[in-house]
Amino acid sequence: MQGGGAGAGAGAGAGTGTGEKTSVNVLAETWATRVRDTSGDMPSSSAPEPVDKDLAVREDIRLLGRLLGDTVRASDGDAVFDAIERVRQLSIRFATSADPEAQRAARTELEALLDGLPRDDAMIVLRAFAFFLQLANIAEDQHVVRRRRAHEERGSAPREGTLAHAFERLAARGVTAQEIQRCLGSAFVSPVLTAHPTEVSRKSVLARQDTIAKLLDDRDRIRLTPGELAEQEAVMRREILALWLTRTVRVERLGPLDEVAGGIGYYTKTFFSELPRLYAELEDMLTERFGVTERPPSFFRIGSWMGGDRDGNPFVTAPVLRETLRRQSSAALAHYMNEVHTLGGELSLSGLFVASTPALSALAERSPDTSAQRRDEPFRRAITGIYARLAATSAVLDREEPMRRAVGRAEPYATPEELGADLRTIEEALPAGLSRGRLRGLSRAVDVFGFHLAKLDLRQCSDVHERTVAELFARAGVHTSYLSLDEEGRVALLVSELASPRLLHSPYADYTDETRGELEIFFAARELRSTYGAEAISHAIISKTNDASDVLEVALLLKESGLFRPGERPSSDLDVVPLFETIDDLRRASEVMGRLFALPLWRAVVASRGDRHEVMLGYSDSNKDGGFLTSGWELYRAELALVRTFAAHGVTLRLFHGRGGSVGRGGGPSYQAVLAQPPGAVGGQIRITEQGEVIASKYASPDVGRRNLEILAAATLEASLLDDPVDPATVDARHAVMDELSRVAFRAYRALVYETPGFDVYFRESTPVSEIATLNIGSRPASRKPSQRIEDLRAIPWVFSWAQCRVMLPGWYGFGSAVTGFLASRPEGLATLRAMYETWPFFRMLLSNMDMVLAKTDLRIASRYAELVSDTRLRETIFGAISEEHARTKEAVLAIEGRDELLADNPLLRRSIKNRFPYMDPLNHLQIELLRRQRGGETDARLARGIHITINGIAAGLRNSG
């Protein structure tokens, strides 16, 4: 096949290289018929009748349910279907019965049914419910894309979170083009993908789900004939069958490089195409609305912790770090070569009709393409030369040869900038209009992804750094007991050593494995920055930062590896980023940074980094330490204090928000979260972690991915350029109220979690935390230390476990007590809280997130998990406290919002939650029975597999549980 591509020799194009109704049908139809639209009507342009906006998603769910039902029936027979339907009906009776006797009767019957299920039948039943929830998620995600397209087709007003809406707000407030350009010129927006053990789906399962989503999308966008519909349904049926026959849980635990491979997959799915597209839309809007013709810089970057995060993960080593960058680079270069090859087929312009520029002619002459057929095609010859240089670059950097061979040998590119310059040469020679397609996107991709793909962060715990530094001092004979020094003594010693040109480590000294491993990481980082560019690794993050010495210790390790240079003007090649996580650390964050800035040496280092310093704030551990309300408030207060401290020292603050997927770990809508930041806390600079299952939910689909990227960009612009000054007296009054609420909520939370005797036993017996720890869903151990203490448990399994048993405690506990106490002493207290809710984005976001978590909480289900606790008195004490606080919190949230039901302002989410519960509840009931059997001593391997499947299904039903 002939074409005009850039690889595989002269002129190669693409290179060488229904029937009876089943009970699952009933599940689908029951789900579908229960969905009703209460969110308001959007008039049709051709008819006055209201539009049923949910009809399409109901039809999709019905279709997927029917196909799943046919699949299960064909595979496993009618008897299993009867069991599925009976379990579902009893679950609904249990969840909806207002009469306690009726509820107890449903529970007794359900327990008897589940107890009597043969082991294999129980597995099929729980798999059916888990798969149905996954398919329903696919349909709902597709509906989000459908509704967005419908808004665009109808010419609706721009929605919140879009760039169009942001620019409308900016224009209405009189923000000038120059102010926007200045903001974009210094902006840095970065979602950072992190690998955490809440992503429960295997890659092979996600691949099937992606295909099903694509088929639904095609049905929506393309007018298909009846025959084509039937053919497409047959394909979908095969995909669902393949999904049904695919193992959903992993046999072996993931390794760090497995996580790296999974992360890179999102570039192929979304980032390679959608980030350049987002930049193009931004450029066009700036031109159309503000007359700005200059391209904005590439301020939007994707970061990653996969392969660089060593905190509590002994499997991330220097060889893993090297292989991570190699794989990332290989993915980036493969994308460029594919795009260049296709571009060669598109730009068939002849020199007979288009005049070549001198630069293009020179580029074409340097190409190894000497085919006589293309002597008059300078663009193709130039592109073939670019492809050859990319192939050589891949061979040098990544030790890989492309599947499409280059037409000849060429010199590799030394930097991405060289490649970008060649692409600009082609762009500048093209006639107007032809440069705004693939070439435009490729040029932006090279600028964004370079040869490294993602900015890879290094992260380690401060405890490890201080032990490493202590050993270096001892082995070098500088100080034999560094760990015994107080903070002042440590800082003095570290500053003295950082000013000295000598090195502490010796290749001949005998170090512990831990110290040797830490040194090797930093040596590898220097090597990789030299190979792939300075952008490849530019951050070293310190977990559990307590004081200034924690930051200086990392600087010393950077010095040992040549990444920190002493002298009159000391400088660091990496941003050293303190991570403040506990409540106490958050309260001291500003003080610690002030002490650092007061050190002449460190202030000089900051100057070498452009007078900018990054600080990371931990949402997860602060929540586990102090509860939802106190964590949120202390994070806000820490940001305010940091803004003041940084301004006093003339340093630009960049905040890195360590948010998780669940509300208990800082999750929630990104747009509202960014806009709820304190004044001065954004300033065009923000990084946010994207963790666990949130990565798939946000970025597995290109359409949904672009929307989420756009939300971050739009929110950052609005938060940076729209200032809503508030009267200082109002601010002081708000803060005083929050201080009081936080004090009470903190005491209530700590009293339950850390001061109630036996609480750790209750937690481990009433949740599947032990089973989650054995689930092969991440490379990181569940606890930092081998202990049963709540303090040593990671925040991720802590939150994930409470979500599985439907308590969701980290997302609300303590708020009810705080509000009850506040109102008891203030007759006007409710009016005060309502005013804060109406006028303060921060408080409104807190309430909105709590509202959502409470809607997903189900204490009827949770009561069954509580019965797994062997100590009756302990069970009654703790579950009683949880139940009472839940009632107080729900009452408080509804009173402040002035509503009668949860999620009253989000009917779409309310319907989704309400209608998925009857299909999620059976998984909870089955999980409880399986947990009881396994903990009772049964050793059948199917028990553990079944528990893991229920964990998978419940997480799919809740969607943001980790």
Side-chain angles (χ1 to χ4, degrees):
M1 174 176 161
Q2 294 299 310
T16 57
T18 84
E20 181 180 339
K21 182 182 292 186
T22 65
S23 57
V24 175
N25 301 154
V26 174
L27 290 180
E29 292 180 8
T30 304
W31 177 302
T33 55
R34 285 170 178 256
V35 176
R36 293 292 183 269
D37 182 28
T38 59
S39 62
D41 299 318
M42 179 179 292
S44 168
S45 59
S46 59
E49 293 297 321
V51 175
D52 184 351
K53 293 183 290 187
D54 287 339
L55 175 61
V57 70
R58 292 201 302 272
E59 290 177 342
D60 285 348
I61 291 174
R62 183 178 290 111
L63 169 66
L64 295 174
R66 174 170 60 82
L67 297 178
L68 176 62
D70 292 345
T71 298
V72 177
R73 183 181 180 213
S75 297
D76 302 288
D78 291 333
V80 176
F81 285 108
D82 293 337
I84 292 172
E85 183 61 14
R86 286 169 62 200
V87 169
R88 184 188 67 84
Q89 290 173 349
L90 289 170
S91 296
I92 293 174
R93 280 171 51 194
F94 175 78
T96 60
S97 295
D99 178 13
E101 285 299 322
Q103 188 186 58
R104 275 193 291 272
R107 173 177 176 162
T108 301
E109 190 175 347
L110 181 62
E111 289 175 351
L113 170 61
L114 296 176
D115 259 343
L117 277 178
R119 207 59 62 75
D120 290 337
D121 286 358
M123 291 288 290
I124 296 167
V125 170
L126 66 88
R127 289 182 67 224
F129 283 106
F131 274 82
F132 186 82
L133 286 167
Q134 293 172 10
L135 294 174
N137 286 345
I138 294 171
E140 288 191 353
D141 289 343
Q142 179 55 34
H143 194 53
V144 172
V145 176
R146 178 187 292 120
R147 294 306 307 152
R148 179 186 61 78
R149 294 182 66 238
H151 278 289
E152 293 180 3
E153 289 171 357
R154 291 170 181 268
S156 303
R159 295 166 299 150
E160 286 187 342
T162 62
L163 285 170
H165 179 267
F167 283 135
E168 280 194 357
R169 290 195 67 197
L170 295 174
R173 296 282 288 276
V175 178
T176 66
Q178 291 72 27
E179 289 173 309
I180 294 173
Q181 284 181 291
R182 278 198 299 272
C183 180
L184 293 176
S186 61
F188 186 83
V189 181
S190 178
V192 180
L193 309 188
T194 71
H196 281 297
T198 58
E199 172 52 77
V200 294
S201 294
R202 296 178 59 215
K203 188 175 180 180
S204 52
V205 172
L206 293 173
R208 301 277 71 75
Q209 293 173 347
D210 289 345
T211 302
I212 293 169
K214 178 63 168 60
L215 291 167
L216 287 180
D217 189 57
D218 289 345
R219 290 170 71 91
D220 206 43
R221 294 176 186 251
I222 304 170
R223 186 185 296 273
L224 300 174
T225 67
E228 290 168 338
L229 277 172
E231 182 180 351
Q232 196 214 48
E233 184 174 308
V235 176
M236 196 176 297
R237 187 183 298 275
R238 289 195 295 272
E239 289 296 323
I240 290 175
L241 175 60
L243 190 61
W244 179 250
L245 298 176
T246 297
R247 174 171 42 81
T248 57
V249 295
R250 298 182 178 93
V251 176
E252 299 292 337
R253 180 174 292 276
L254 284 174
L257 292 176
D258 297 315
E259 294 169 337
V260 170
I264 290 173
Y266 292 102
Y267 289 81
T268 304
K269 290 179 180 179
T270 296
F271 297 133
F272 280 143
S273 62
E274 301 312 313
L275 254 184
R277 186 175 299 176
L278 179 63
Y279 276 114
E281 291 176 1
L282 176 62
E283 291 172 20
D284 293 344
M285 287 184 188
L286 287 171
T287 301
E288 293 167 7
R289 291 175 177 267
F290 299 98
V292 174
T293 57
E294 183 180 346
R295 286 186 183 178
S298 297
F299 64 90
F300 206 118
R301 304 295 176 102
I302 308 297
S304 177
W305 281 8
M306 300 176 190
D309 181 8
R310 311 186 308 290
D311 181 17
N313 194 338
F315 308 110
V316 176
T317 60
V320 166
L321 187 68
R322 291 188 179 92
E323 179 62 12
T324 296
L325 262 299
R326 191 197 69 78
R327 291 189 185 190
Q328 288 187 180
S329 175
S330 176
L333 290 169
H335 173 69
Y336 302 155
M337 284 188 280
N338 285 334
E339 289 296 285
V340 167
H341 175 75
T342 306
L343 192 64
E346 294 174 350
L347 297 183
S348 55
L349 288 67
S350 171
L352 298 174
F353 309 113
V354 180
S356 177
T357 64
L360 178 65
S361 297
L363 189 60
E365 287 303 314
R366 290 196 296 270
S367 171
D369 186 354
T370 59
S371 170
Q373 297 294 328
R374 278 189 294 281
R375 292 305 301 169
D376 70 328
E377 294 178 345
F379 290 95
R380 277 185 167 171
R381 290 170 54 217
I383 289 169
T384 304
I386 292 173
Y387 185 95
R389 294 194 68 183
L390 281 170
T393 306
S394 179
V396 170
L397 291 185
D398 310 322
R399 305 181 301 280
E400 286 192 357
E401 293 289 336
M403 292 183 65
R404 296 187 189 95
R405 295 176 55 241
V407 298
R409 299 181 63 83
E411 287 296 313
Y413 285 109
T415 65
E417 288 72 25
E418 285 187 5
L419 170 59
D422 282 354
L423 294 175
R424 281 193 299 276
T425 295
I426 295 174
E427 180 182 357
E428 291 165 358
L430 281 170
L434 289 180
S435 64
R436 297 181 67 79
R438 187 179 306 276
L439 180 59
R440 183 189 196 187
L442 176 58
S443 295
R444 180 65 78 171
V446 170
D447 195 34
V448 170
F449 304 116
F451 291 160
H452 62 284
L453 187 70
K455 294 172 71 71
L456 184 62
D457 290 358
L458 305 179
R459 185 173 78 130
Q460 182 57 283
C461 183
S462 61
D463 294 345
V464 177
H465 292 147
E466 69 178 16
R467 289 195 297 268
T468 301
V469 167
E471 184 171 357
L472 287 174
F473 278 137
R475 289 279 192 271
V478 174
H479 199 290
T480 57
S481 56
Y482 171 78
L483 296 180
S484 67
L485 294 174
D486 60 14
E487 175 64 13
E488 185 177 348
R490 289 187 183 191
V491 168
L493 179 57
L494 289 165
V495 168
S496 173
E497 199 61 42
L498 284 168
S500 169
R502 71 173 179 184
L503 298 178
L504 295 173
H505 79 277
S506 166
Y508 308 109
D510 184 22
Y511 298 108
T512 61
D513 289 343
E514 181 179 74
T515 294
R516 187 165 53 251
E518 288 303 301
L519 290 173
E520 287 173 353
I521 282 285
F522 288 107
F523 294 152
R526 181 188 181 189
E527 165 200 324
L528 293 167
R529 282 170 53 89
S530 175
T531 301
Y532 295 107
E535 291 289 297
I537 299 175
S538 57
H539 296 82
I541 299 168
I542 311 161
S543 299
K544 292 180 62 179
T545 299
N546 303 121
D547 226 318
S549 61
D550 295 325
V551 175
L552 299 176
E553 286 163 359
V554 174
L556 183 64
L557 295 176
L558 293 175
K559 176 183 168 232
E560 293 296 306
S561 60
L563 293 170
F564 180 100
R565 285 168 295 282
E568 291 185 10
R569 295 183 178 179
S571 62
S572 172
D573 289 339
L574 270 63
D575 283 339
V576 181
V577 183
L579 167 52
F580 299 101
E581 299 181 86
T582 67
I583 298 298
D584 184 57
D585 290 341
L586 288 172
R587 290 170 176 168
R588 297 174 55 249
S590 173
E591 177 188 344
V592 170
M593 295 310 299
R595 283 203 293 272
L596 277 168
F597 293 152
L599 298 172
L601 177 138
W602 195 252
R603 188 61 187 83
V605 171
V606 175
S608 79
R609 303 293 296 168
D611 281 320
R612 174 188 46 74
H613 205 298
E614 187 169 301
V615 173
M616 186 172 183
L617 302 176
Y619 288 65
S620 305
D621 284 282
S622 62
N623 179 289
K624 187 165 76 75
D625 184 29
F628 175 71
L629 184 67
T630 299
S631 170
W633 179 232
E634 293 299 340
L635 284 160
Y636 191 92
R637 288 184 56 183
E639 291 184 44
L640 283 173
L642 287 167
V643 168
R644 290 192 294 267
T645 298
F646 274 59
H649 289 274
V651 179
T652 299
L653 170 65
R654 178 192 292 162
L655 285 172
F656 186 4
H657 300 268
R659 304 171 74 226
S662 65
V663 167
R665 296 184 52 241
S670 298
Y671 179 75
Q672 286 80 3
V674 175
L675 293 186
Q677 298 302 302
V682 179
Q685 302 272 324
I686 193 167
R687 294 214 298 161
I688 299 177
T689 54
E690 303 282 27
Q691 302 185 7
E693 80 282 359
V694 169
I695 300 174
S697 67
K698 285 188 174 182
Y699 302 116
S701 159
D703 283 301
V704 175
R706 184 168 75 256
R707 167 70 175 149
N708 279 290
L709 294 171
E710 184 178 11
I711 284 170
L712 274 182
T716 302
L717 278 172
E718 291 182 41
S720 303
L721 293 171
L722 297 178
D723 184 21
D724 291 314
V726 181
D727 176 62
T730 301
V731 172
D732 291 343
R734 289 172 176 173
H735 291 189
V737 171
M738 284 302 303
D739 284 341
E740 183 171 345
L741 292 173
S742 178
R743 278 195 299 272
V744 178
F746 181 76
R747 286 199 300 268
Y749 176 84
R750 295 286 302 189
L752 176 74
V753 174
Y754 293 101
E755 297 166 15
T756 300
F759 181 85
D760 58 333
V761 175
Y762 177 91
F763 169 66
R764 293 188 181 276
E765 292 188 4
S766 70
T767 76
V769 63
S770 300
E771 291 72 20
I772 289 169
T774 65
L775 186 56
N776 296 314
I777 54 179
S779 67
R780 186 184 309 277
S783 292
R784 282 191 167 93
K785 300 176 182 177
S787 84
Q788 299 295 304
R789 300 192 326 144
I790 300 295
E791 291 87 340
D792 294 328
L793 183 71
R794 288 190 173 277
I796 300 154
W798 164 256
V799 173
F800 197 44
S801 300
W802 286 117
Q804 285 285 310
C805 66
R806 305 287 287 280
V807 177
M808 317 289 280
L809 181 142
W812 55 266
Y813 196 91
F815 184 76
S817 292
V819 173
T820 300
F822 182 78
L823 297 181
S825 59
R826 290 173 176 77
E828 78 293 347
L830 183 58
T832 299
L833 296 176
R834 283 180 172 173
M836 289 168 56
Y837 175 75
E838 293 294 334
T839 61
W840 191 11
F842 165 75
F843 193 63
R844 187 178 185 87
M845 180 194 66
L846 280 180
L847 269 290
S848 175
N849 286 340
M850 235 183 312
D851 190 335
M852 185 268 288
V853 170
L854 289 169
K856 292 186 175 183
T857 300
D858 191 330
L859 292 191
R860 299 189 187 201
I861 297 291
S863 69
R864 292 208 63 213
Y865 281 89
E867 293 194 354
L868 294 171
V869 179
S870 55
D871 186 326
T872 303
R873 185 173 180 181
L874 180 66
R875 174 175 70 240
E876 292 175 350
T877 298
I878 294 180
F879 189 75
I882 291 172
S883 299
E884 291 170 5
E885 183 64 17
H886 177 267
R888 284 191 291 266
T889 301
K890 182 177 178 180
E891 181 181 359
V893 169
L894 292 176
I896 296 169
E897 293 179 341
R899 299 191 172 102
D900 297 326
E901 61 179 342
L902 297 170
L903 293 177
D905 63 341
N906 192 342
L908 184 63
L909 180 57
R910 186 177 72 246
R911 290 195 305 276
S912 175
I913 289 174
K914 177 182 177 182
N915 291 305
R916 68 179 54 225
F917 272 16
Y919 310 96
M920 190 163 60
D921 292 354
L923 293 172
N924 287 111
H925 292 298
L926 283 161
Q927 185 180 91
I928 292 164
E929 293 304 316
L930 295 175
L931 288 172
R932 182 175 285 119
R933 293 178 190 180
Q934 180 166 277
R935 293 175 181 180
E938 294 189 36
T939 57
D940 192 326
R942 289 172 295 182
L943 281 177
R945 189 165 68 251
I947 291 169
H948 292 170
I949 292 172
T950 62
I951 291 171
N952 187 312
I954 294 166
L958 291 171
R959 308 218 72 176
N960 59 344
S961 59

